[in-house]
Amino acid sequence: MSESHTPQSGSARLNTGVAHNARVWNYWIGGKDNYEVDQKVGEQVAGMFPVIRDIARADRDFLGRAVSFLAGERGVRQFLDVGTGLPTAANTHEIAQRLAPDSRIVYVDNDPIVLVHARTLLTGTPDGVTAYIDADVHDPDAILERAGHTLDLTQPVAVMMLGILNFVLDTEKAKDIVRRVMAAVPSGSHLVLTHPTFDDELGGAGQIPAMKFWNENATPPITARSGADIAAFFEGLELLDPGLVSCGQWRADAGSAVLVPQYGAVAVKA
């Protein structure tokens, strides 16, 4: 079954005159849900920081490996995917429900372009549930309240925050968001996170000028963080092997592993 809390006002909020992250990201991974302004900014950023396309693909591949690991090896049956982005191939519910048809997935985003396409995310297995809610990562209480209509928050949940906390510019606020969400889910829940970094060892120095250009020409504003700051999001949780690494290398086959300046990790709440 599927259910939706999607408002009808998504298209009314859509601004095609300014490049938007969801659409530019879609452009970088070869999607069609973008406009000329997104393509122009995307090309400019890629010219300044060519590895950005590799980051986009690596982040998407990380999602697939993480969901497969959690549904297949850890027995997770509930996923709260915050910062969904535009639907592409192999979305969270497709991967999880392929392995466990009774999986329940709630997608969360507030990008108007994502709202327009949200129905694509609402096709799941007869045994499972797929829902979409329009909510902002800055308001974790609203996310939890509305997610509770679909998920049983007394049972383990995989909280997925892929490439979303980089839009929360204040690090302490970002940490508080993670703490509040993880406090609301029980032991056995997992945090799945990716985040861009400027750390040299991952080749991240080029992120800084590219993000400066982005913040002057596109929306929403974004920030990179050090590995130490990103590791702090996992305080109180147990990092699972291989820990906090480039998302392109997390549990990747030797032949497909890539080093990109985007950290990724999965942790469990004891």
Side-chain angles (χ1 to χ4, degrees):
M1 67 179 286
S2 67
E3 58 190 55
S4 172
H5 304 289
T6 307
Q8 301 302 309
S9 58
S11 58
R13 289 162 43 192
L14 185 57
N15 180 359
T16 60
V18 178
H20 196 284
N21 177 73
R23 302 191 307 254
V24 176
W25 195 261
N26 176 264
Y27 174 66
W28 283 330
I29 62 175
K32 305 297 184 184
D33 297 313
N34 49 77
Y35 298 95
E36 184 177 359
V37 66
D38 308 304
Q39 297 162 17
K40 286 182 175 179
V41 170
E43 283 299 321
Q44 181 70 27
V45 172
M48 300 173 69
F49 191 53
V51 75
I52 190 65
R53 285 192 172 92
D54 296 330
I55 294 174
R57 288 189 290 266
D59 191 86
R60 195 71 195 178
D61 291 344
F62 169 88
L63 179 147
R65 295 193 302 276
V67 174
S68 295
F69 167 66
L70 290 171
E73 296 185 35
R74 303 287 292 188
V76 176
R77 296 295 178 264
Q78 300 192 110
F79 294 82
L80 177 60
D81 190 336
V82 183
T84 303
L86 281 160
T88 61
N91 298 293
T92 298
H93 75 284
E94 294 168 321
I95 301 165
Q97 292 177 348
R98 190 180 306 134
L99 293 165
D102 59 338
S103 296
R104 305 172 75 84
I105 293 88
V106 171
Y107 290 108
V108 183
D109 213 306
N110 73 331
D111 287 354
I113 186 67
V114 178
L115 291 178
V116 171
H117 293 268
R119 288 184 182 84
T120 305
L121 292 170
L122 298 175
T123 54
T125 59
D127 298 326
V129 177
T130 309
Y132 183 98
I133 58 177
D134 177 21
D136 193 311
V137 67
H138 292 85
D139 191 357
D141 293 339
I143 290 173
L144 291 163
E145 189 277 325
R146 297 173 68 183
H149 295 296
T150 301
L151 305 179
D152 180 355
L153 299 183
T154 69
Q155 297 297 314
V157 177
V159 177
M160 312 207 34
M161 293 186 167
L162 275 63
I164 185 66
L165 292 176
N166 36 288
F167 297 109
V168 182
L169 302 186
D170 183 279
T171 298
E172 288 306 312
K173 184 175 292 186
K175 287 170 63 177
D176 183 61
I177 288 168
V178 175
R179 280 194 296 264
R180 287 162 68 183
V181 173
M182 295 309 295
V185 294
S187 297
S189 294
H190 293 74
L191 174 63
V192 185
L193 187 148
T194 62
H195 196 296
T197 184
F198 47 69
D199 284 358
D200 284 339
E201 56 263 40
L202 267 62
Q207 298 258 35
I208 298 172
M211 285 185 174
K212 182 176 186 295
F213 172 84
W214 173 270
N215 290 343
E216 292 169 350
N217 292 276
T219 189
I222 190 170
T223 188
R225 291 187 168 97
S226 68
D229 279 339
I230 296 166
F233 294 133
F234 294 95
E235 287 177 358
L237 305 174
E238 178 189 346
L239 280 168
L240 301 179
D241 288 338
L244 183 67
V245 297
S246 171
C247 71
Q249 298 182 327
W250 190 89
R251 291 181 176 261
D253 295 334
S256 62
V258 293
L259 181 71
V260 294
Q262 178 110 329
Y263 279 108
V266 176
V268 64
K269 181 177 179 178

